[in-house]
Amino acid sequence: MTYEQVADLLATIDLPFTYWSFPENEAPTLPYFVFYYPSNDDLSADNINYQTIVNMNLELYSENKDFTLEKRVEDVFTSNGIYFQKSEQYIRNERMHEVLYEVQLIITEE
């Protein structure tokens, strides 16, 4: 999967989204999500990286717990063979619910 294909896949969730963060005071109304690549776990040997494997976080923000919305995200991952781990929290000072999806993706250059 290329980075462009990742963005295309995320667009099928049909919510506003951006990489890392929206500009200050320009976030859309809830719900929306952000995604980013906090680290990688490349396959390597003999001091050469043979395969790029990125850890991607997708943070889904909503006003309240939204099981239907979460299922939509999870269906996109599942239907594309992407394993995910999920955690959640309520951000009191922002008055929003965050669901964090953590996935690993094999990135190709094509």
Side-chain angles (χ1 to χ4, degrees):
M1 180 174 280
T2 65
Y3 287 110
E4 183 176 286
Q5 289 170 323
V6 173
D8 291 344
L9 178 73
L10 296 178
T12 67
I13 296 171
D14 199 29
L15 283 178
F17 72 97
T18 191
Y19 184 81
W20 199 262
S21 68
F22 289 99
E24 191 168 339
N25 298 319
E26 293 184 28
T29 58
L30 295 171
Y32 61 81
F33 68 91
V34 300
F35 76 102
Y36 54 95
Y37 305 104
S39 61
N40 66 338
D41 192 18
D42 291 357
L43 177 63
S44 59
D46 302 323
N47 295 320
I48 297 172
N49 290 48
Y50 289 101
Q51 182 63 63
T52 301
I53 303 172
V54 296
N55 299 311
M56 182 182 78
N57 287 357
L58 184 149
E59 298 173 352
L60 173 64
Y61 296 100
S62 58
E63 188 173 344
N64 298 301
K65 176 75 173 167
D66 190 332
F67 292 101
T68 303
L69 185 54
E70 291 174 38
K71 182 172 180 353
R72 186 165 48 174
V73 173
E74 293 163 17
D75 285 349
V76 167
F77 287 150
T78 301
S79 66
N80 286 279
I82 298 172
Y83 169 78
F84 61 89
Q85 293 184 330
K86 175 181 169 179
S87 60
E88 59 185 82
Q89 67 175 332
Y90 183 74
I91 305 171
R92 189 174 308 258
N93 63 336
E94 298 287 337
R95 296 187 190 129
M96 65 173 66
H97 192 83
E98 174 196 8
V99 177
L100 169 63
Y101 293 93
E102 298 173 286
V103 303
Q104 277 195 328
L105 300 169
I106 296 173
I107 300 297
T108 59
E109 294 183 24
E110 299 176 356

